[in-house]
Amino acid sequence: MTRLPSKPDTSSRYREAEQFLAALDPDWQALVAHVGPCIHQPRPERDPYEALIRSVVYQQLHTRAAERILQRLIDIYPHGHCPTPEEVLATPYDTLRACGLSGAKANSILGLAQARLDGIIPDQATALQMPDEELIKRLTTLRGIGRWTVEMMMMMYTLEHEDILPADDFGVREGYRNLKQLDKAPSARVLREIGQAWAPYRSVASWYLWRMPKQAPALAPSSNKVNRAPRSQDKPVRQQTPSSPLYFAIAQCSLGTLLVAESERGICAISLADDAKVLLEQLQEQFKAAELIEADPQFNQRVAQVVAMVEEPTLGLDLPLDIQGTPFQQRVWEFLRHIPVGQTLSYTEIAERLGMPKGARAVARACATNTLAIAIPCHRVVRQSGDLAGYRWGLERKKTLLERERPQKAQR
């Protein structure tokens, strides 16, 4: 990876990059014209240690959810900014967890603090002098830090490298897939080869590709967006007998252990529990004919979106869903997807609105068989008295979700 010579005017460098990319082919020209001028904003004032702390907090979370956790971490310390390594190491583990950090993230942050004291994490001046691959190799030995984190958080933003292509990033690869209208996104290795043509402006090229899926006018709208009106692209009903493999991944979130499974048609299961083994057994029981395959690291990008939805339900889930059930279950679940965040309805109210005034129990059974936690928000259904009823993933989780959503209602 090369670096551009230092130039004082960032906007002029971006203009050069825009002109270069637009001249590549008509697809790039249309993307640059649609998105407009590049406004990539590096953060060179952040030390590499601080950048890595932030990267760990933000992993698998949407920006707003991560910002809240980061602010709770900062608020522990009287000075109101990123804690020093010494301060982190002096902070009780339970105090770090109370900020909303998972156990893995808390341990990663403690490890980063020790690594800074040990000289493994360089200061900014030293990092700027290090060859790219040497810096990547050194920092990816740290717990919770992968190549994507070093390229994105460190090199593109903190160190202002302008020729970085984070080819492992799901958004970049999906952006290129849509740019070229491919059936399948290229692998990271293939994209690195393709991206050679974008040098020495690969950071700016990545910036544009991130904006391709949602902003490019030629893109088809994504289907099954949670909390959105149904679209014509929504997939037809299919019963729970997939013959193809199911890919799954397990992650941690504030509600415990989270399992996400995906069929060839989309996300087909989102489950919560305290024990990963239990979740796997439930998944196999649910999809008896399916071969369960642990997903590759690329699937983690989609898992991250699910975790973000769990932590911040207002975000919705912009991923295809493979919703499987009977026609009646489908009717109930589709209705649930339109209950706004911060509101609840009773089983009786839903039955009446579906034209089944005596169907409250049937609605309750449909809620109990929902396999897509939060994406199909059955936690927003309560008894007619307002009391909480059963919840497949535990009443405490239902209570937590409703309390988490309640402030959103007050802000409307």
Side-chain angles (χ1 to χ4, degrees), residues 225-287:
K225 170 79 174 182
V226 175
N227 294 331
R228 297 280 183 87
R231 296 173 175 144
S232 60
Q233 294 86 358
D234 281 359
K235 296 170 182 174
V237 176
R238 184 165 59 91
Q239 296 303 313
Q240 300 179 11
T241 55
S243 58
S244 56
L246 286 185
Y247 296 89
F248 74 91
I250 292 175
Q252 296 298 315
C253 68
S254 62
L255 296 180
T257 303
L258 173 77
L259 181 143
V260 181
E262 183 180 58
S263 71
E264 61 184 7
R265 298 163 63 88
I267 303 297
C268 60
I270 301 173
S271 303
L272 294 158
D274 297 321
D275 188 332
K277 183 179 179 181
V278 170
L279 289 174
L280 282 174
E281 290 173 352
Q282 291 173 346
L283 184 67
Q284 188 68 81
E285 177 65 22
Q286 180 186 349
F287 298 101

Side-chain angles (χ1 to χ4, degrees), residues 100-122:
L101 295 168
S102 67
K105 288 188 178 184
N107 286 323
S108 293
I109 288 174
L110 289 168
L112 291 176
Q114 188 62 55
R116 181 53 178 264
L117 294 179
D118 293 341
I120 298 174
I121 300 176

